Amino acid sequence: MKSYRVVIIGAGNVAYHLVRSVTSSGNKLIQIYNRTLSNISSTSNSNITGTLNSISQDGDIYIICVKDIAIEEVAAKLRLGDKLVVHTSGNRSMNLLNECSENYGVFYPIQSFTRNIPINFKKIPLVIEANSETAQEMLVDFSRSISQQVILMNETDRQKLNVAGVFVNNFTNYIYTLTHDYLKKENIDFNILQPLIQNTVDKLLLGNPSEMQTGPAVRSDQETINSHIELLKQYPQLKDIYQDISNSILEYYKSN
Amino acid sequence: MKSYRVVIIGAGNVAYHLVRSVTSSGNKLIQIYNRTLSNISSTSNSNITGTLNSISQDGDIYIICVKDIAIEEVAAKLRLGDKLVVHTSGNRSMNLLNECSENYGVFYPIQSFTRNIPINFKKIPLVIEANSETAQEMLVDFSRSISQQVILMNETDRQKLNVAGVFVNNFTNYIYTLTHDYLKKENIDFNILQPLIQNTVDKLLLGNPSEMQTGPAVRSDQETINSHIELLKQYPQLKDIYQDISNSILEYYKSN
């Protein structure tokens, strides 16, 4: 495995964690582009630039980790010959980069990044895609230095996996958020639910989640459902989600 | 701590796991009532009966673990003097038991039970309530032999916690179910999501979940939301939940 000279473009949560992972994996982080020159600098000795025109031409790999909607704008300003350029989006096409370089692709970590919470990149599956054999060979090699799990995948499958990630992370986290807020307002300790939450996830390793389903909706217990909705009448967001998901569960187990 | 003589009434998943926990915690399981005389017997040397009229009068504690809607019917047939009688419901009043005995209460384990998956009852929080000092003293003592976390709670708070449990277990498990089905149909390995799922839960120990929220809805990225909905057009249940929860997230972060 080679040591690659890496340029990271972006200063969000993905960039923040990737900076650490690149430097600790035997690669060389030669530059960070950071539009706002925020405190990402404090964590790295690398060269930092605030203008895309000053991006070094000496890198092997350029990783664009900006918001999906900003990829096109950044790509329009990069001309990197045949250097490998990748973005980190689960949803966007690698073709957004086809004018930056002859070699481009996608480097999509399946994770939700939070600024101040350390993460072990080695355990994060990396979904990659490349436009050429040259690009793919280098991207596979580099990715394996970052993570133990590297998966080649086409655009459509990656997009489907990205939607699935929205469900299992964004939506479950939002459910935890509403539940946390609710119990806080009702002066009940959210931590009482920790063993239940952990156990729900542990069971995913043991079988199909449809076989683990419990609760009033799956047993069509309308009396309990009504009493729960009554308890939530002061919490319209919880009430709506309670009704939407309960109706979906009732329907799912009727038709399956 | 005393060794109690316990009678378990019910043959569902809660009863199945409680049988094991009672016998392994130094208490004596003297009888199981099982309406259908199903295979719970194979797991226990206890006396099994299929008629409520034959329930032993020699127990210290009677635990009714039947479906919420069946508690009243079972209670109507039990006359147990001053023996402690409890049900295991998170939602129903202990007063359903006020004609069974002078001493009654609730013994509610915060967990979702699946028949063939072993569980460590010691780690399951038990929420309890009792109608008298005598009942409470015995119920606390017995509960501590079963679990390391015993919480006295009134009916309303227990019901609120029960609703919260529906969100963090039933609803998240249903989301895993739909996602699992989706990826299976699309020939993508659900296990790629395991580190993301585990990390989502790990972060609950590190801060308020509202601060961990990521994804297209929280950043109001309508382009990604639309592309996700397009990908789900063949999956009406996923599409509906995607829209309902995304709209709720958009609203939550607008108003908070």
Side-chain angles (χ1 to χ4, degrees):
Chain A
M1 219 175 279
K2 263 193 65 169
S3 168
Y4 293 99
R5 297 167 58 83
V6 180
V7 175
I8 290 182
I9 296 161
N13 292 338
V14 180
Y16 175 87
H17 288 283
L18 205 49
V19 162
R20 281 156 187 70
S21 174
V22 165
T23 50
S24 68
S25 59
N27 296 290
K28 188 164 163 53
L29 182 67
I30 62 165
Q31 195 179 39
I32 302 171
Y33 162 75
N34 176 350
R35 190 165 49 92
T36 55
L37 290 176
S38 69
N39 61 0
I40 206 166
S41 56
S42 65
T43 63
S44 161
N45 297 319
S46 308
N47 172 9
I48 316 250
T49 177
T51 52
L52 284 170
N53 295 333
S54 318
I55 288 281
S56 166
Q57 296 286 321
D58 296 338
D60 300 309
I61 303 181
Y62 294 75
I63 307 176
I64 302 174
C65 17
V66 299
K67 283 179 189 165
D68 285 6
I69 45 165
I71 295 171
E72 217 165 341
E73 188 191 330
V74 168
K77 294 181 186 158
L78 294 176
R79 292 296 174 269
L80 295 159
D82 62 355
K83 302 302 180 68
L84 177 60
V85 188
V86 296
H87 69 58
T88 56
S89 167
N91 183 259
R92 295 306 200 271
S93 170
M94 66 177 170
N95 295 326
L96 290 178
L97 311 177
N98 64 8
E99 298 203 355
C100 302
S101 166
E102 288 165 32
N103 295 299
Y104 53 90
V106 175
F107 173 92
Y108 169 48
I110 311 285
Q111 194 51 265
S112 161
F113 297 92
T114 307
R115 175 76 44 138
N116 292 310
I117 298 179
I119 202 153
N120 181 359
F121 239 101
K122 287 274 176 205
K123 302 285 184 196
I124 299 178
L126 292 177
V127 168
I128 60 171
E129 187 187 7
N131 80 311
S132 66
E133 271 187 44
T134 310
Q136 183 173 312
E137 196 176 316
M138 185 185 280
L139 187 54
V140 167
D141 194 48
F142 169 71
S143 299
R144 285 188 180 148
S145 74
I146 302 292
S147 167
Q148 289 160 1
Q149 194 179 359
V150 177
I151 305 150
L152 273 165
M153 201 178 267
N154 67 36
E155 181 176 319
T156 317
D157 281 358
R158 171 169 46 87
Q159 289 175 329
K160 289 171 186 166
L161 193 59
N162 181 242
V163 181
V166 167
F167 279 88
V168 303
N169 168 267
N170 299 173
F171 291 171
T172 62
N173 189 69
Y174 183 63
I175 284 172
Y176 299 141
T177 296
L178 292 183
T179 310
H180 186 275
D181 290 356
Y182 172 63
L183 291 183
K184 195 172 177 185
K185 279 191 189 128
E186 300 289 350
N187 287 310
I188 298 170
D189 181 6
F190 180 79
N191 289 321
I192 299 172
L193 297 174
Q194 277 291 351
L196 176 59
I197 290 170
Q198 185 57 54
N199 189 260
T200 307
V201 166
D202 288 346
K203 284 186 191 169
L204 294 175
L205 299 170
L206 303 173
N208 190 319
S210 71
E211 292 159 19
M212 314 297 179
Q213 192 67 42
T214 60
V218 68
R219 57 174 201 267
S220 298
D221 176 353
Q222 201 61 52
E223 190 180 335
T224 300
I225 291 174
N226 293 344
S227 113
H228 283 168
I229 288 171
E230 178 66 22
L231 283 165
L232 298 173
K233 65 183 174 193
Q234 316 268 351
Y235 300 87
Q237 285 173 318
L238 279 160
K239 189 162 107 355
D240 287 350
I241 287 182
Y242 189 97
Q243 286 175 316
D244 293 338
I245 301 188
S246 292
N247 289 338
S248 190
I249 294 174
L250 285 162
E251 196 186 309
Y252 180 94
Y253 285 90
K254 211 185 291 171
S255 60
N256 278 263
Chain B
M1 222 175 275
K2 262 192 67 170
S3 168
Y4 295 98
R5 297 166 57 83
V6 179
V7 175
I8 290 182
I9 296 161
N13 292 337
V14 180
Y16 174 88
H17 288 283
L18 204 49
V19 162
R20 280 155 187 71
S21 174
V22 165
T23 51
S24 68
S25 60
N27 298 289
K28 190 167 162 50
L29 182 67
I30 62 165
Q31 195 179 39
I32 302 172
Y33 162 75
N34 176 351
R35 191 166 50 91
T36 54
L37 290 177
S38 70
N39 60 0
I40 205 164
S41 56
S42 66
T43 63
S44 160
N45 297 318
S46 309
N47 172 9
I48 315 250
T49 176
T51 53
L52 283 169
N53 294 334
S54 318
I55 289 281
S56 166
Q57 295 287 320
D58 294 339
D60 299 310
I61 302 180
Y62 295 75
I63 306 176
I64 302 174
C65 17
V66 299
K67 283 180 188 164
D68 285 7
I69 44 164
I71 296 171
E72 215 165 342
E73 187 191 331
V74 168
K77 294 182 186 159
L78 294 176
R79 291 297 174 268
L80 296 159
D82 62 355
K83 303 302 180 68
L84 177 59
V85 186
V86 295
H87 68 60
T88 56
S89 167
N91 183 259
R92 296 304 201 271
S93 169
M94 66 177 171
N95 295 327
L96 291 177
L97 311 177
N98 64 7
E99 298 203 354
C100 302
S101 166
E102 286 165 33
N103 295 300
Y104 53 90
V106 175
F107 174 90
Y108 169 47
I110 312 286
Q111 195 51 267
S112 162
F113 297 93
T114 307
R115 174 73 49 135
N116 292 310
I117 298 180
I119 202 155
N120 182 359
F121 239 100
K122 287 274 174 204
K123 301 286 184 195
I124 299 178
L126 292 176
V127 168
I128 59 171
E129 187 187 6
N131 79 312
S132 66
E133 272 187 43
T134 311
Q136 182 171 310
E137 197 176 315
M138 185 184 279
L139 186 54
V140 167
D141 195 48
F142 169 72
S143 299
R144 286 188 179 149
S145 74
I146 302 291
S147 167
Q148 288 161 0
Q149 194 179 359
V150 177
I151 305 150
L152 274 165
M153 201 178 268
N154 66 36
E155 181 175 319
T156 317
D157 282 356
R158 170 167 47 86
Q159 289 174 330
K160 289 171 185 165
L161 192 60
N162 181 242
V163 181
V166 168
F167 279 88
V168 303
N169 167 268
N170 300 173
F171 291 171
T172 62
N173 189 70
Y174 183 61
I175 284 173
Y176 298 140
T177 296
L178 291 184
T179 310
H180 186 275
D181 290 357
Y182 172 62
L183 291 183
K184 195 172 176 184
K185 279 189 190 131
E186 300 289 349
N187 286 311
I188 299 169
D189 182 6
F190 179 79
N191 288 322
I192 300 173
L193 298 174
Q194 277 292 351
L196 176 60
I197 291 170
Q198 184 57 54
N199 190 259
T200 307
V201 165
D202 288 347
K203 284 187 191 168
L204 294 175
L205 299 169
L206 303 173
N208 189 320
S210 71
E211 292 158 20
M212 314 296 178
Q213 192 68 42
T214 60
V218 69
R219 57 174 201 266
S220 298
D221 176 353
Q222 200 62 50
E223 191 179 336
T224 300
I225 292 174
N226 293 343
S227 114
H228 284 168
I229 288 171
E230 178 66 22
L231 283 165
L232 298 172
K233 65 182 174 194
Q234 317 268 351
Y235 300 87
Q237 285 172 319
L238 279 160
K239 189 162 106 359
D240 287 350
I241 286 183
Y242 189 97
Q243 285 176 315
D244 293 337
I245 301 188
S246 291
N247 289 338
S248 189
I249 294 174
L250 284 161
E251 196 186 309
Y252 180 94
Y253 284 90
K254 211 183 293 171
S255 59
N256 276 265

